[in-house]
Amino acid sequence: MRSIASVEEQFLNELTQLYDAGEVRQLYLLLLEDHLGWSKHDYFLRKQELVDDVRINGLLEALSSLKKAEPIQYVLGYAWFRGMKLVVDSSVLIPRPETEELVQLIINEQQLIDGGCPSIIDIGTGSGCIAIALKSALPCATLYGLDISKDALQVAKQNADNQGVSIEYIQADILEWDVVFQADQRYDIVVSNPPYITEQEQREMHLNVLAHEPHLALFVDNHTPLLFYEHISAFALKHLRPGGKLYFEINRNYGVEVCDLLRKKGFMDVQLHQDLQGADRMIQARKKLSA
């Protein structure tokens, strides 16, 4: 048996090259809550308490994973998104707060519309966070989630089941949308948080992202940073109903370029939105009511 304080000291000593002391303590508190059910308050009252070897070994196994720069969400096996506890593993991107803002933008606009049950497709659904959040907030809507990864779709389906929502999933490569979708498949909303980080930006990223999160969901070639925006907007032109909406999460460095791309394709009401940190992060556009 060991005290929780002594295990924390081991965490601090062995993770010092990856995180500062404050970050290590936050990670440790998350693990205590998950493994022991202890709150932060519990920890400060009970940190000298001796804990049995089984639970200590569970914490040390988590430490071993963290030393390999594995993100805490993968170590825990879940991430929080809009108050939902979603299963995550290395086949899916960890949901980010910025994506919550994208979801809220869509919800706010839909709630202004009187009646109607929109048909929505989430392209590159990953963990399913966007589609599940939209279905939870807009229960009348019909949701579809598309991803190229079979493993990601398994995670998304598990999350939908856990949250008690019905979503139809499609395994396909959106870069080949023209041979996947029938001409009469139409949607009211197309939303996507596609891969948008260029290879040259990788050196600015934390090791836990580079080493563990799926590169398929993150990166695009330096020479084609707008690859997915180009293909998804072409898909939207064909498969959005007249007046339908397109929403993107974007690389903060390419807001103007994505807006220009959409206008050149003929989209109307193109709007660039900033996230809570003031970075260009979301774009919305509308398909013309008539050709």
Side-chain angles (χ1 to χ4, degrees), residues 15-28:
L15 292 174
T16 183
Q17 293 186 344
L18 286 174
Y19 304 100
D20 64 37
E23 290 175 313
V24 174
R25 184 161 285 110
Q26 289 303 313
L27 294 174
Y28 191 59

Side-chain angles (χ1 to χ4, degrees), residues 74 79 87-96 99 125-129 152 193-194 197 209 213-214 217-218 249:
Y74 291 159
V87 173
V88 294
D89 62 26
S90 59
S91 69
V92 300
L93 193 66
I94 297 167
R96 263 61 173 189
T99 307
T125 197
S127 67
C129 62
N193 175 20
I197 300 171
V209 175
E213 294 200 58
L218 285 170
E249 184 171 325

Side-chain angles (χ1 to χ4, degrees), residues 47 51 73 102 111 161 218 241 246 258:
K47 61 183 179 179
V51 174
Q73 293 89 345
L102 174 65
Q111 290 176 338
D161 289 343
L218 285 170
R241 293 188 176 95
L246 171 63
V258 177

Side-chain angles (χ1 to χ4, degrees), residues 258-259 262-263 267-272 283-286:
V258 177
C259 286
L262 295 176
R263 293 189 181 103
F267 283 93
M268 307 294 292
D269 302 329
V270 178
Q271 299 177 49
L272 177 62
I283 288 178
Q284 67 179 99
R286 180 172 60 85

